[in-house]
Amino acid sequence: MPDLVHARERMVERQVARRGVRDARVLEAMREVPREAFVPEGLQEFAYDDAPLPIEAGQTISQPYIVGLMIEAAGIRPGDRVLEIGAGSGYAAAVMSRIAGQVYAIERHGALTELARARLQRLGYDNVELRTGDGTRGWPEAGPFDAILAAAGGPGVPQALKDQLDLGGRLVMPVGPTRDDQRLVRITRTSASHFEEDDLGAVRFVPLIGEQGWPDADAARRAPEPRSFRAPAEAPAASLIRAAAEPLPALDDPAFGALVDRFAEARVVLLGEASHGTSEFYRARAAITRRLIERHGFTIVAVEADWPDAASVDRYVRRRPSPKHAEPPFRRFPTWMWRNTDVEGFIEWLRGWNGDRPADTRVSFHGLDLYNLSASITGVLDYLDRVDPEAGKVARERYGCLTPWASEPQAYGRMALTSGYSRCERAVVTTLTDMLEKQLEYAASDGDDFLDASANARLVKNAEAYYRAVYYGAAESWNRRDTHMFETLCAVLEARGPDAKAVVWAHNSHIGDASKTEMGLVRDELNIGQLCRERFGRDAALIGFGTHGGEVACASDWGEPMEVKRINPSRPDSYERLAHDSGVERFLLDLREGVHEPLRQRLLDPRLERFIGVIYRPETERWSHYSGCSLPQQFDAWVWFDETSAVTPVPTAQREGVDETWPFGL
């Protein structure tokens, strides 16, 4: 469970204040009220996402920004009497109760009324009164009201609500003839019979059901799908994709990788995946990478794996000696991510390709991630013990403050919150800088060994900062992780020389430009794809992957056993559904400017895009696995497989007849 106090503060700052809500009372109230207390069990971790969430009775809790916007627009002040129509979970009433003198809230679903009442009582918010009824009639015996807010859209403002406004009172609600044509309006009573109206902009709300709203029979037809991004018009998008899609041959066809020849001049080609457990994504990346190696001189494969684990594979594929007692790679959760038959097949091909080629021309295999802190500490110390024993002694002392936490670095992050961390931070930074200052001396004997050791030292330095940041906020820890991945990639490119070219394998969330998605626009997150574009410009090619359905290897929670689950069909408001509706089974879509410009312009408006990682929760998929993106700005190309299958894990036992350095043995 994330740190919800910090998540609440980030929500207020990034989702509400940054979008223009300035009322200090509103912002402080939203900082005080725990939104996680107003969502169903199992959805608390999504409480501060920039999206509506489902609640009981088939209803939703509004997007946080909308709550802040409406309360600010109503101009609620201390001592005010406020009426809310559509209490729902009770969250908006709770926020208003921190400002107003008394809040009255009406909810037409009795079960929601009781749940909201219990939540408010549990929190001690005793200035809120709730009842079940027709909100369009208001609460005349409690009026007049200084402010009225309706969390549902009607064809017009009910006269009963206008009548219950006090002189100078403000009423805020969405109105419009259809669900797709709603405006948020503010009605201010200026005299007994005169009201002024302000238009606050386009919105989409569930229908206001009642005597002076929509009839109940129309509810299902009029109810909009709650979302944080409004889906653009459907009409020609799928047919434009069909016309622009370049059909792909079978994965085992040697011609499969040829469609990426257009990116062969890039310095870095980044290949994504929409899940960590889909066979087609791994096999497609392997086929594309083989093509780039065989035809276009790429000499580096860098993957979303830890450096020391990937180093075992690198020694195997480049036929370099392995250190004694080396830790077997990819033994920690999630083992199937890299210990699967598709990765094994590519590694065997790469070892064969390198064969008897000169050592300096062999293709290397590297990990960009930073989780295996223990193995990296060992790698640094073993290296220094060999090449500079005195430096090894110093490094061992410096790493002493981290060593007790190396096998459980999350515990170090918790400790650092209360115990201070400057000693460890200075120690790991100094160890790396000392090694880099002696680069010429150390690398003279074996440049590959120095690269390995310095990368491990960089991992230790950045992992120390990462595990501290985990307890301060998701954006900071994510940014440290992806910045580390980018720094490691740049170090490998530099070590292999000015003409070196790299292929990167990582999740779409890492290789798609974060600045063109909710990651960057809302959560202030960056990623390796964005950093590569900023550093390499057109010499970085970002290629994403997607699927509509099938099966995926995954877990239900971190550390739990691997399962194979069915993937839900893609949502109607997603890019994946447009691709599915094109009717093309597998294809490449070139998204660069000027290639398919009518399609690119149509796809620029943000839609939802699915991200399945190690964990997959189909029951909460909209909130746990979809995020808003602008696909043509996020990627240079998109590879599509309509139906996909799960990866097959590799057994851990040493196989007969294989080299003893085989990296997938015990």
Side-chain angles (χ1 to χ4, degrees):
M1 183 72 68
D3 182 340
L4 295 177
V5 174
H6 286 93
R8 191 181 315 142
E9 178 62 37
R10 291 195 305 274
M11 175 201 75
V12 174
E13 175 59 33
R14 298 174 185 177
Q15 299 176 30
V16 184
R18 190 173 296 180
R19 286 175 170 162
V21 175
R22 296 286 181 261
D23 189 316
R25 287 187 290 258
V26 175
L27 299 177
E28 187 55 37
M30 296 187 76
R31 289 188 180 97
E32 180 181 348
V33 176
R35 192 170 186 248
E36 68 272 16
F38 294 88
V39 300
E41 193 71 28
L43 290 180
Q44 286 89 347
E45 64 182 290
F46 310 117
Y48 297 104
D49 285 2
D50 187 30
L53 292 174
I55 58 173
E56 296 79 5
Q59 301 301 298
T60 62
I61 180 174
S62 294
Q63 182 182 10
Y65 166 66
I66 290 295
V67 174
L69 173 68
M70 292 183 69
I71 296 174
E72 181 181 60
I76 297 174
R77 296 181 289 266
D80 278 356
R81 294 171 70 84
V82 178
L83 174 64
E84 182 189 24
I85 310 303
S89 69
Y91 174 69
V95 174
M96 290 187 286
S97 78
R98 304 301 84 198
I99 307 170
Q102 184 69 31
V103 177
Y104 297 85
I106 305 174
E107 172 52 53
R108 73 186 188 95
H109 296 280
L112 288 181
T113 303
E114 294 307 313
L115 283 168
R117 183 177 289 122
R119 288 163 175 157
L120 291 162
Q121 289 175 349
R122 192 159 50 244
L123 291 167
Y125 298 168
D126 56 6
N127 62 334
V128 180
E129 189 171 341
L130 294 108
R131 77 178 187 187
T132 302
D134 181 353
T136 69
R137 297 178 179 178
W139 197 325
E141 62 270 31
F145 299 102
D146 300 293
I148 300 176
L149 291 85
V157 178
Q159 186 61 44
L161 300 184
K162 295 170 72 173
D163 290 343
Q164 292 168 39
L165 267 185
D166 202 353
L167 188 64
R170 292 81 53 201
L171 184 154
V172 178
M173 73 169 286
V175 296
T178 70
R179 69 176 190 175
D180 295 318
D181 186 13
Q182 294 179 350
R183 310 290 297 181
L184 189 65
V185 299
R186 176 175 55 212
I187 304 292
T188 304
R189 187 168 200 165
T190 58
S191 70
S193 59
H194 187 264
F195 299 85
E196 292 183 354
E197 180 175 318
D198 296 306
D199 187 330
L200 304 180
V203 290
R204 295 184 71 172
F205 276 76
V206 296
L208 177 64
I209 307 301
E211 183 180 281
Q212 298 183 39
W214 298 110
D216 198 18
D218 289 340
R221 177 174 60 82
R222 294 184 180 277
E225 186 79 25
R227 57 176 70 95
S228 47
F229 280 82
R230 181 181 294 191
E234 288 286 328
S239 58
L240 287 171
I241 290 176
R242 186 182 309 116
E246 301 177 51
L248 291 167
L251 279 162
D252 56 2
D253 189 323
F256 182 90
L259 285 178
V260 300
D261 286 351
R262 71 198 75 191
F263 301 113
E265 297 305 313
R267 183 93 194 272
V268 181
V269 174
L270 298 96
L271 304 177
E273 59 181 357
S275 90
H276 283 318
T278 297
S279 177
E280 283 77 5
F281 299 154
Y282 284 90
R283 293 167 62 199
R285 293 188 298 188
I288 293 168
T289 304
R290 286 197 299 268
R291 177 85 176 190
L292 293 173
I293 291 170
E294 291 173 333
R295 300 292 185 92
H296 304 294
F298 281 69
T299 57
I300 297 165
V301 180
V303 303
E304 185 188 339
D306 294 332
W307 180 277
D309 298 80
S312 296
V313 175
D314 182 57
R315 287 187 286 269
Y316 178 71
V317 299
R318 288 204 281 165
R319 302 170 186 267
R320 299 175 58 230
S322 296
K324 294 180 180 179
H325 312 299
E327 176 184 325
F330 311 129
R331 301 303 300 272
R332 299 177 319 284
F333 179 89
T335 56
W336 67 89
M337 182 173 166
W338 295 111
R339 188 182 282 269
N340 63 64
T341 56
D342 299 318
V343 173
E344 180 191 27
F346 174 73
I347 288 171
E348 292 299 336
W349 174 86
L350 189 55
R351 177 177 168 87
W353 168 265
N354 282 331
D356 296 327
R357 281 181 166 79
D360 60 349
T361 66
R362 294 176 185 174
V363 177
S364 57
F365 187 94
H366 304 289
L368 300 177
D369 226 330
L370 49 57
Y371 290 125
N372 197 345
L373 180 61
S374 176
S376 286
I377 288 175
T378 299
V380 173
L381 297 178
D382 286 350
Y383 174 77
L384 290 175
D385 285 345
R386 290 198 314 273
V387 302
D388 192 341
E390 286 302 315
K393 291 179 182 178
V394 174
R396 190 167 273 101
E397 292 177 4
R398 288 173 177 163
Y399 283 168
C401 64
L402 272 182
T403 302
W405 316 96
S407 297
E408 193 182 355
Q410 294 87 350
Y412 169 75
R414 290 193 295 271
M415 178 276 297
L417 286 177
T418 56
S419 303
Y421 55 83
S422 59
R423 185 169 65 91
C424 280
E425 182 183 24
R426 286 195 300 270
V428 296
V429 170
T430 304
T431 299
L432 175 60
T433 55
D434 284 356
M435 288 184 67
L436 295 177
E437 286 174 1
K438 294 185 176 181
Q439 179 171 355
L440 291 177
E441 176 187 342
Y442 288 166
S445 58
D446 192 321
D448 286 326
D449 280 353
F450 174 76
L451 174 63
D452 186 41
S454 61
N456 278 317
R458 182 178 295 103
L459 188 154
V460 175
K461 175 185 78 71
N462 290 336
E464 185 274 335
Y466 169 82
Y467 285 109
R468 276 191 283 110
V470 163
Y471 288 89
Y472 286 101
E476 184 177 355
S477 58
W478 174 277
N479 291 346
R480 287 186 182 277
R481 181 183 172 204
D482 270 58
T483 299
H484 166 80
M485 294 169 72
F486 176 70
E487 290 175 352
T488 303
L489 173 65
C490 291
V492 173
L493 283 166
E494 182 179 0
R496 295 301 303 266
D499 297 326
K501 298 195 290 185
V503 185
V504 174
W505 294 15
H507 196 272
N508 284 350
S509 57
H510 292 290
I511 71 98
D513 188 338
S515 69
K516 311 304 179 186
T517 73
E518 281 185 3
M519 292 173 61
L521 296 172
V522 175
R523 302 197 296 268
D524 281 345
E525 294 173 346
L526 51 75
N527 63 12
I528 188 173
Q530 175 184 340
L531 294 172
C532 281
R533 272 189 173 169
E534 291 171 358
R535 170 69 67 86
F536 301 111
R538 293 183 180 276
D539 284 334
L542 282 50
I543 304 175
F545 288 68
T547 185
H548 170 70
E551 294 184 329
V552 63
C554 58
S556 294
D557 210 341
W558 192 263
E560 292 189 0
M562 191 202 88
E563 306 173 56
V564 175
K565 296 185 182 182
R566 287 294 305 177
I567 301 173
N568 290 340
S570 57
R571 288 177 56 88
D573 49 356
S574 68
Y575 284 113
E576 287 85 356
R577 179 57 63 89
L578 290 180
H580 172 70
D581 289 347
S582 74
V584 184
E585 181 181 354
R586 56 180 179 267
F587 60 78
L588 181 140
L589 200 62
D590 196 325
L591 298 170
R592 293 173 297 174
E593 289 186 40
V595 179
H596 301 292
E597 200 56 31
L599 172 62
R600 189 175 188 277
Q601 291 300 318
R602 178 52 58 99
L603 297 182
L604 278 175
D605 286 339
R607 281 183 174 268
L608 295 177
E609 181 183 326
R610 181 159 54 192
F611 298 84
I612 300 174
V614 170
I615 296 166
Y616 182 45
R617 297 170 181 159
E619 64 279 4
T620 63
E621 188 183 61
R622 164 61 184 90
W623 299 275
S624 51
H625 299 291
Y626 277 97
S627 187
C629 304
S630 176
L631 193 76
Q633 296 178 300
Q634 181 188 11
F635 300 117
D636 295 302
W638 202 40
V639 176
W640 175 255
F641 295 92
D642 198 64
E643 188 83 4
T644 51
S645 56
V647 296
T648 302
V650 171
T652 57
Q654 182 73 37
R655 297 182 181 179
E656 294 184 7
V658 299
D659 191 284
E660 65 179 7
T661 62
W662 184 62
F664 290 158
L666 288 172

